[in-house]
Amino acid sequence: MAARHDFVILAVDAASVEAQLLLDALSDALLRINGDNGRSSFDVEAATPRGGFYLARDAAGELLGCAALRPLGEADSAVGELKRMYARPGSTGVGAALLAHVEAQARRHGYQALHLSTRVANTRAVAFYAKHGYAPVIAWGKYVGAAQSTCLGKTL
């Protein structure tokens, strides 16, 4: 029997103090795994009506993780992009809950697919996304020809 997890996931301003705490933790973790904190790939100012920045907390209000959604390419794109996905170490089930939440938001915003890029070296992330139905897709933008990156996607 799987353990039941009570998470609250809410949309917040990516520039908020709480969001920045999680983004800093993510950047530190990525720097350890990849040698790059990934900050250049996410602009908190790029708020869009077809996306958002989401925080996960436990029942006591403890910050557990975050994720962001935005259109991939043009504002009316049929493909959403998952960005800045992070779950604190030891926070079992948070990643899956955040991913399910972002996928639901993506459907609500009319996206037909969700794409993301992660580093090949981030083997835990690659395995996590594969487990949740993400498969390799054609690279876009700065990821074209970037051997260190893997681009993954899922039809919603």
Side-chain angles (χ1 to χ4, degrees), residues 96-155:
L98 272 165
L99 187 59
H101 183 82
V102 172
E103 288 174 354
Q105 292 298 314
R107 282 186 199 93
R108 198 171 66 76
H109 286 301
Y111 295 112
Q112 294 166 14
L114 196 56
H115 288 185
L116 64 100
S117 176
T118 191
R119 293 287 181 115
V120 174
N122 194 346
T123 53
R124 282 188 63 213
V126 173
F128 170 82
Y129 292 119
K131 176 182 164 189
H132 290 278
Y134 286 77
V137 294
I138 294 170
W140 64 89
K142 72 177 194 171
Y143 304 117
V144 174
Q148 73 275 17
S149 295
T150 183
C151 293
L152 306 171
K154 178 179 178 178
T155 301

Side-chain angles (χ1 to χ4, degrees), residues 17-143:
V17 172
E18 292 170 323
Q20 290 303 310
L21 285 171
L22 286 167
L23 288 169
D24 287 347
L26 169 61
S27 293
D28 292 346
L30 290 176
L31 195 57
R32 285 194 301 278
I33 296 166
N34 305 325
D36 179 348
N37 65 20
R39 282 194 184 273
S40 64
S41 297
F42 182 69
D43 176 8
V44 296
E45 301 307 312
T48 168
R50 294 185 70 218
F53 188 87
Y54 309 99
L55 288 184
R57 301 173 184 278
D58 65 14
E62 180 84 19
L63 291 171
L64 298 177
C66 62
L69 171 67
R70 69 181 184 191
L72 183 58
E74 299 302 312
D76 61 354
S77 175
V79 179
E81 185 179 15
L82 175 66
K83 300 293 294 180
R84 308 315 280 169
M85 176 81 167
Y86 175 71
R88 287 198 186 275
S91 57
T92 306
V94 171
L98 272 165
L99 187 59
H101 183 82
V102 172
E103 288 174 354
Q105 292 298 314
R107 282 186 199 93
R108 198 171 66 76
H109 286 301
Y111 295 112
Q112 294 166 14
L114 196 56
H115 288 185
L116 64 100
S117 176
T118 191
R119 293 287 181 115
V120 174
N122 194 346
T123 53
R124 282 188 63 213
V126 173
F128 170 82
Y129 292 119
K131 176 182 164 189
H132 290 278
Y134 286 77
V137 294
I138 294 170
W140 64 89
K142 72 177 194 171
Y143 304 117

